[in-house]
Amino acid sequence: MAAGVYLHIPFCKSRCSYCDFATDVYRSSDAVERYVAALCKEIETFPEQVITTCDSGWVNVNIDTIYFGGGTPSLLDAAQVEAILKTVRNTFAVDASSEITMEMNPATVTPETLEKYRKLGVNRASFGVQTFDDTELKRLARGHNAQDARDTFRMLRDAGFENVGFDLIAGLPRQTLADWERNLDEALTMQPEHLSLYLLEIHESTPLAEQIKSERQPLPDEELAAEMYELMLDKVAAAGYRQYEISNFARPGFESRHNSKYWLLDPVYGFGVSAHSYNGVERYANDRDTNAYVATIESGASPEVMREEIDTPSEYIFLGLRLNRGIDLDAFRARFGSGLETRFAAELDDLSDKGLLSIDGGRLFLTEKGMLFSNEVFAAFV
């Protein structure tokens, strides 16, 4: 089984109002260079970490996905990306056909930079459009406008990127069903290979949460969000995209190989501030503070702040139900020694009665209603 590598690049031009990720405003090239050096140093210590933390000696150092997430990784110059990828390739056995993804924000790349990324092996781009409405972009404090998104997509195609995905958010404050339909129509007209279509979530620590609390922004309407979700399902299916996860849609063969590892409980090794890892037994995470992370690495210490054995059956259900194909009940029984139907009989009966779960062909999966109320389903198994 090949693993994945996740690389967290926290820097952004500005902080979006809804963002709950570990990010920092880009202040100086020196700070970024120092961070990249720390990131590379952490990657280089991976073999030592394996020896000291895995008593069984088991570890899968063969990888076939690399993912630059953030933040805004496209703020890195080509030399910095090259240094990171060189370190990853020196540390892991990287498959020649690996999927190498970089998250990008519109208006943060040039044709020359994209051409250099491609030559370094980056073969998949995921960029955060969020909306094609300039008024909505301003409300979200995004650092780009709609035309920037269109221009970025054109530059990606011109640079030879044949695997491009958008992020769009439904249920934004003051967003109407017609607004959302226009967003979908424009995205589908551009024909990316992948679409991540999310319903807005309000996180307590974000500026948007404070704006809603102080009534400067309205609380998103749940019934309207449900209509948006149903419209989304109809339109993307008619355009030839296959839903393979609650919020993710792709043309056949363009599903995110890296993100699928999380949902299938495959090993993923994370590096950088706030990065999470899963080694097949334990999940562990780094410090969320960028300055603290860099100082810790430079001192020769570990940035890890959390490590725990996960409740594997519950985690397997929680993640597996996100996928449209659901959970193979025979595979669950073979993996854990007893049937899911026996372990969680009461939960299955209750959620099935509510129309949120269904069993068919030996598989357990969310219904369309269940996808809208997935948090309620997941909570029952945690």
Side-chain angles (χ1 to χ4, degrees):
M1 178 193 303
V5 163
Y6 174 80
L7 305 157
H8 191 75
I9 310 299
F11 305 104
C12 288
K13 283 186 172 181
S14 61
R15 186 170 179 83
C16 302
S17 66
Y18 57 88
C19 180
D20 190 40
F21 295 122
T23 62
D24 282 281
V25 175
Y26 188 111
R27 292 184 175 86
S28 73
S29 58
D30 288 344
V32 176
E33 195 66 34
R34 186 180 171 198
Y35 180 85
V36 169
L39 177 64
C40 290
K41 185 175 180 180
E42 185 193 4
I43 297 167
E44 289 169 348
T45 66
F46 178 77
E48 180 182 346
Q49 294 170 14
V50 170
I51 292 171
T52 57
T53 61
C54 296
D55 294 336
S56 67
W58 175 88
V59 67
N60 191 333
V61 295
N62 298 300
I63 65 170
D64 64 1
T65 67
I66 301 171
Y67 194 103
F68 287 84
T72 308
S74 51
L75 291 175
L76 297 182
D77 62 36
Q80 291 164 336
V81 173
E82 182 177 19
I84 295 168
L85 287 174
K86 181 178 180 180
T87 306
V88 171
R89 289 172 173 134
N90 287 342
T91 305
F92 295 89
V94 180
D95 190 276
S97 62
S98 290
E99 173 193 87
I100 304 179
T101 302
M102 179 177 287
E103 290 184 354
M104 303 177 183
N105 276 344
T108 63
V109 294
T110 65
E112 294 76 20
T113 301
L114 290 175
E115 185 176 347
K116 290 176 181 178
Y117 288 166
R118 286 285 294 123
K119 289 181 179 178
L120 292 171
V122 178
N123 52 28
R124 182 173 183 270
S126 176
F127 76 106
V129 176
Q130 314 312 357
T131 172
F132 287 101
D133 185 299
D134 284 340
T135 300
E136 291 175 345
L137 288 168
K138 287 180 181 178
R139 289 194 195 117
L140 297 176
R142 295 290 290 173
H144 72 273
N145 59 37
Q147 190 57 47
D148 290 329
R150 300 177 188 112
D151 292 343
T152 299
F153 183 74
R154 177 185 51 77
M155 286 190 286
L156 285 163
R157 290 299 198 217
D158 289 346
F161 280 85
E162 298 176 348
N163 191 352
V164 179
F166 295 168
D167 289 359
L168 291 175
I169 302 176
L172 298 173
R174 307 182 198 278
Q175 187 180 54
T176 67
L177 187 63
D179 293 334
W180 176 235
E181 185 168 19
R182 281 193 294 272
N183 274 308
L184 286 173
D185 287 343
E186 177 152 8
L188 294 171
T189 297
M190 295 168 77
Q191 299 184 352
E193 284 68 39
H194 191 280
L195 287 166
S196 294
L197 306 173
Y198 301 102
L199 292 175
L200 179 68
E201 293 187 9
I202 310 298
H203 299 282
E204 288 187 11
S205 59
T206 62
L208 180 57
E210 179 57 35
Q211 292 166 12
I212 291 172
K213 184 178 180 181
S214 63
E215 299 184 348
R216 285 176 289 161
Q217 295 284 6
L219 185 68
D221 185 290
E222 290 187 2
E223 290 187 9
L224 177 58
E227 289 183 58
M228 289 178 172
Y229 192 80
E230 292 169 0
L231 176 70
M232 172 181 80
L233 294 180
D234 291 341
K235 278 189 167 288
V236 295
Y241 292 82
R242 186 181 72 87
Q243 183 182 27
Y244 68 101
E245 192 267 348
I246 290 175
S247 302
N248 286 278
F249 306 79
R251 296 193 181 282
F254 288 97
E255 297 83 0
S256 171
R257 288 162 52 191
H258 181 83
N259 287 339
S260 294
K261 291 183 184 296
Y262 296 106
W263 303 316
L264 295 170
L265 269 183
D266 291 342
V268 175
Y269 299 104
F271 301 95
V273 61
S274 82
H276 284 62
S277 301
Y278 174 63
N279 62 14
V281 179
E282 298 172 307
R283 178 167 290 124
Y284 49 100
N286 285 346
D287 198 312
R288 280 182 61 93
D289 182 273
T290 301
N291 291 332
Y293 165 82
V294 171
T296 300
I297 294 291
E298 290 177 342
S299 74
S302 169
E304 183 183 309
V305 294
M306 180 277 288
R307 181 179 289 260
E308 61 183 2
E309 286 195 23
I310 65 169
D311 180 8
T312 307
S314 293
E315 196 90 355
Y316 187 88
I317 296 169
F318 177 93
L319 295 170
L321 281 176
R322 295 193 64 90
L323 296 168
N324 268 42
R325 68 186 188 184
I327 297 168
D328 185 314
L329 296 175
D330 288 340
F332 183 95
R333 186 176 296 104
R335 181 164 181 164
F336 300 113
S338 62
L340 191 155
E341 309 95 306
T342 303
R343 286 190 183 218
F344 298 98
E347 291 84 355
L348 290 178
D349 286 344
D350 178 57
L351 294 169
S352 296
D353 288 344
K354 293 178 178 177
L356 303 177
L357 284 179
S358 182
I359 295 178
D360 184 46
R363 305 189 76 90
L364 175 70
F365 52 89
L366 293 173
T367 63
E368 185 172 317
K369 180 182 177 182
M371 290 183 180
L372 276 169
F373 297 98
S374 57
N375 287 339
E376 178 181 340
V377 177
F378 300 154
F381 294 103
V382 175

